[in-house]
Amino acid sequence: MSTTTQAAVHVTAKDLQGPGVVFCPNPKMTQWSTHPRVYLDVVTTGEAVCPYCGTKYVLDGPAPHGH
């Protein structure tokens, strides 16, 4: 487990993939350090943490309609 603290990845409603989720690794991450793709629910609580790499995703702004 890494001991470095990384900045949160801020996402908006337009970044969501499917029903209120984002995926990690995200498209901006380097390919050499990837892990299996996981979908993280950011709408329910406004944030989520990847269980593989610890990247924290924070939803900025309102959740899309229907969530």
Side-chain angles (χ1 to χ4, degrees):
M1 184 176 263
S2 175
T3 58
T4 48
T5 302
Q6 49 185 291
V9 176
H10 291 264
V11 296
T12 62
K14 70 178 180 67
D15 298 313
L16 300 179
Q17 308 291 316
V21 298
V22 293
F23 61 83
C24 189
N26 66 61
K28 294 179 182 177
M29 291 179 160
T30 56
Q31 293 299 311
W32 66 267
S33 64
T34 61
H35 52 69
R37 179 177 282 185
V38 292
Y39 292 84
L40 306 166
D41 175 10
V42 294
V43 171
T44 301
T45 64
E47 61 184 42
V49 176
C50 176
Y52 285 99
C53 66
T55 300
K56 182 177 183 177
Y57 293 87
V58 177
L59 180 63
D60 288 341
H65 295 289
H67 291 279

